Amino acid sequence: MKDLKEWLKATEDQKLEEMADFFAARLDGYEEHMGVWADAYKALPQYLPKDCRKILDLGCGTGLELDEIWKMYPDLSVTGIDLSKDMLAYLKNKHPDKDLTVICADAHSESVRLCQKTRSPFTTDSAKCRAFWESW
């Protein structure tokens, strides 16, 4: 704890990096770096309801979870929200054939706004399911 306090004191005058800039600067090696979570990404689709047709992915990044979800649910409609326009562009380029809408925004604030505005796109019923998670 002493080391942490010393580090915080030594860096208190340094400007914090914006989250979107942080991810943009690390995009090239991001998927390889996140490979340590590969087993979790592969396991995730089994937790979605069998009749799932639409999900909202908060903090979707480059779509590492979506890569696996689309293997099980290839026709799934996804709305992905992320702070990084660079990550979203990467995701769109990686999956040009998917029903994918991306929104560059703060995931929490935008998801609340989206659900309040539309009232029903991510409710659980026979054609839709609610699946919220964060990628980090």
Side-chain angles (χ1 to χ4, degrees):
M1 187 63 132
K2 182 181 175 189
D3 291 341
L4 175 59
K5 287 180 180 180
E6 289 173 359
W7 177 80
L8 288 171
K9 182 69 176 158
T11 60
E12 68 185 351
D13 294 329
Q14 292 179 8
K15 185 179 180 207
L16 294 177
E17 188 174 15
E18 292 291 329
M19 284 290 278
D21 295 338
F22 174 88
F23 286 110
R26 292 154 181 85
L27 184 58
D28 288 340
Y30 179 77
E31 291 200 348
E32 181 180 350
H33 174 75
M34 296 302 289
V36 299
W37 298 103
D39 290 341
Y41 299 145
K42 289 177 184 169
L44 184 63
Q46 70 183 334
Y47 296 105
L48 295 176
K50 297 295 180 217
D51 63 348
C52 186
R53 301 288 177 259
K54 179 181 264 193
I55 63 170
L56 172 62
D57 184 352
L58 305 179
C60 60
T62 62
L64 291 167
E65 295 91 348
L66 294 173
D67 295 344
E68 300 302 325
I69 290 171
W70 272 318
K71 288 177 185 174
M72 186 176 280
Y73 298 93
D75 298 323
L76 190 70
S77 175
V78 174
T79 298
I81 303 175
D82 201 276
L83 282 173
S84 172
K85 66 178 176 20
D86 297 298
M87 291 249 183
L88 292 172
Y90 186 94
L91 171 61
K92 289 284 284 183
N93 190 50
K94 186 165 63 166
H95 294 290
D97 60 328
K98 297 299 180 188
D99 183 2
L100 173 63
T101 301
V102 297
I103 300 170
C104 187
D106 168 65
H108 175 72
S109 300
E110 184 63 17
S111 65
V112 169
R113 186 198 68 75
L114 185 63
C115 289
Q116 287 173 341
K117 176 183 171 189
T118 58
R119 298 219 184 261
S120 66
F122 302 105
T123 59
T124 303
D125 61 27
S126 62
K128 303 170 187 167
C129 73
R130 183 181 309 200
F132 293 89
W133 65 85
E134 293 186 6
S135 302
W136 45 274

